Amino acid sequence: MWVTRFAPSPTGFLHLGHVASALFGWRYAKPGGRWLVRMEDIDPQRCRAEYATAILEDLDWLGLKPDGAALYQSARMPAYARTLAELDRLGVLYPCFCTRSEIAREQAGMFSAPHTAPDGSLLYPGTCRHISGPERARRLAEGKPHVLRLDMEKALALVREKASLEAEAEAEAEAEAEAEAEAEAEAEAEAEAEAEALPARSQCGHSPHAPERTQGRRGEGQQQARIGGGTEQDHFQMKRSVWPLVYEDLDRGQVVCTPELFGDVVLARRDVPASYHLCVTHDDAMQGVTLVARGEDLRPATDLHRLLQALMGWRTPTYVFHPLLCDAQGRRLSKRDGAASVREMRAAGMTPEAVRAMAVFAGCST
């Protein structure tokens, strides 16, 4: 039974692409699991409360009722601030004072490729990473506008070191457990040998000095508990020790991550003290999402989210990706291209069943 989520940005009315995505996660969660709704509304310039209300109304009309109240990211800024503080404590954040135009100009003067990250964003050349501590402090004291970036090189080094230490600790624990089991087995064998050497004290041959035999050895039972009786958290801890970073894709199996292709990504913007990557990874962990169902366009970003999970010690969910819904010309449905909204379909007299039937993924290349 999966816990999935539908996480739209309330920048417009619900359209068929949204419905297809919502149904995709819903079908994995039902019956027996949980389907959550989360409003990714951290952008104050584009997100509007009336769109969030309309999305919830349209989902209800479609018969897609979330298991619990919708979560609004705009109300969770203190939680994101705590995550940023922890990342800063780990030494993997730094302030960047560059503007987009400055980054573009610097990129234009570079001959190396690529200049873009896997999601199409400009690859940051790392200019502010090399600013000295005193200069950085001076700019911050002057109130210079800045974003907070993840130092990718330091983050990867920290996760590698963490994985190595966890692997060493696990190997030491296993060796100690084996030594303890062997010592217990030897002690039992010696006790049994001593008991067999004593003369019989009764007709039944029972010696008051002989230890009673039990079903299996104590050490043997403990070893079984260690191997097969671990909790879900135990198994998660073992998975986190793996390097390179990986995640499970329901369709492709284990996927190896390459977050370094994103460079030093922004985790807190100038206008908002957070970012999509930070918020979505944080909330999936805090809401207990076990299956992240998302579009193919977000597949590359999953590598970056896996890195944040490793840094913060958050649980790694399983992932599954759906194709993007396209129009008759093969273009991805989007609000800015005027995709028909569920509101308009309702007004035209369509039934919820008809709208749901239309929300079928068709061959859109990604």
Side-chain angles (χ1 to χ4, degrees):
M1 295 183 290
W2 298 108
V3 178
T4 68
R5 60 17 173 215
F6 173 54
S9 295
T11 57
F13 293 115
L14 209 66
H15 60 64
L16 277 182
H18 296 127
V19 178
S21 181
L23 283 169
F24 187 75
W26 168 275
R27 287 168 180 149
Y28 278 102
K30 302 298 179 179
R34 298 179 66 225
W35 184 73
L36 310 174
V37 171
R38 181 168 73 225
M39 292 294 170
E40 297 188 344
D41 60 342
I42 64 170
D43 189 334
Q45 304 301 319
R46 300 176 61 236
C47 297
R48 289 162 53 180
E50 54 265 37
Y51 287 140
T53 299
I55 288 171
L56 294 175
E57 290 174 353
D58 287 342
L59 289 173
D60 186 70
W61 178 76
L62 288 164
L64 301 177
K65 303 181 189 299
D67 295 297
L71 181 146
Y72 289 78
Q73 289 186 335
S74 59
R76 297 174 62 75
M77 291 301 166
Y80 307 141
R82 288 192 292 272
T83 300
L84 288 169
E86 175 61 16
L87 292 171
D88 186 48
R89 187 191 67 80
L90 292 173
V92 296
L93 284 186
Y94 67 89
C96 170
F97 306 94
C98 299
T99 64
R100 288 186 181 180
S101 59
E102 288 170 341
I103 295 171
R105 281 198 301 270
E106 188 163 352
Q107 283 281 21
M110 296 173 64
F111 296 100
S112 60
H115 291 170
T116 57
D119 60 357
S121 62
L122 277 178
L123 198 59
Y124 183 61
T127 308
C128 290
R129 189 193 320 129
H130 307 295
I131 294 177
S132 67
E135 174 62 17
R136 186 175 290 170
R138 183 187 68 79
R139 295 189 189 187
L140 290 173
E142 291 177 355
K144 296 283 188 183
H146 64 278
V147 301
L148 292 178
R149 289 187 180 273
L150 178 71
D151 189 320
M152 183 61 68
E153 185 176 344
K154 286 185 178 179
L156 290 173
L158 183 62
V159 171
R160 285 193 195 98
E161 180 184 8
K162 186 177 180 182
S164 177
L165 291 174
E166 287 177 353
E168 289 177 9
E170 185 179 323
E172 289 177 4
E174 288 179 356
E176 289 176 4
E178 289 176 4
E180 180 185 342
E182 289 175 3
E184 290 178 351
E186 289 176 4
E188 276 195 22
E190 290 176 3
E192 289 173 3
E194 290 176 3
E196 290 173 0
L198 293 174
R201 297 293 298 273
S202 64
Q203 289 185 351
C204 64
H206 177 72
S207 169
H209 301 289
E212 292 187 13
R213 298 288 300 272
T214 58
Q215 293 295 320
R217 293 174 177 163
R218 180 168 163 239
E220 197 174 83
Q222 289 179 340
Q223 186 76 355
Q224 287 291 336
R226 277 189 291 269
I227 295 174
T231 64
E232 186 176 355
Q233 181 66 17
D234 293 332
H235 295 298
F236 171 63
Q237 293 288 350
M238 288 190 286
K239 284 180 68 177
R240 281 201 294 118
S241 297
V242 175
W243 182 264
L245 292 172
V246 297
Y247 66 84
E248 287 296 321
D249 180 331
L250 282 187
D251 296 319
R252 300 186 183 183
Q254 192 174 85
V255 177
V256 177
C257 302
T258 53
E260 60 272 17
L261 298 180
F262 283 85
D264 294 358
V265 296
V266 172
L267 292 186
R269 295 160 33 179
R270 282 184 175 83
D271 57 337
V272 179
S275 70
Y276 165 74
H277 297 303
L278 178 79
C279 298
V280 69
T281 313
H282 173 280
D283 290 341
D284 282 342
M286 296 306 105
Q287 289 188 283
V289 173
T290 57
L291 178 67
V292 174
R294 56 175 36 158
E296 277 287 347
D297 57 326
L298 290 174
R299 181 183 289 277
T302 304
D303 292 10
L304 181 57
H305 301 169
R306 182 67 189 89
L307 174 59
L308 292 175
Q309 290 160 0
L311 285 168
M312 294 299 298
W314 290 333
R315 240 176 171 176
T316 306
T318 301
Y319 291 84
V320 64
F321 301 86
H322 61 71
L324 305 179
L325 197 64
C326 298
D327 60 19
Q329 287 73 43
R331 298 174 305 185
R332 173 186 173 183
L333 289 181
S334 68
K335 304 165 192 171
R336 63 177 174 270
D337 292 330
S341 69
V342 173
R343 293 255 144 164
E344 292 170 325
M345 297 176 189
R346 291 174 62 180
M350 292 186 67
T351 64
E353 293 75 20
V355 173
R356 288 174 62 149
M358 287 179 64
V360 176
F361 293 117
C364 186
S365 59
T366 57

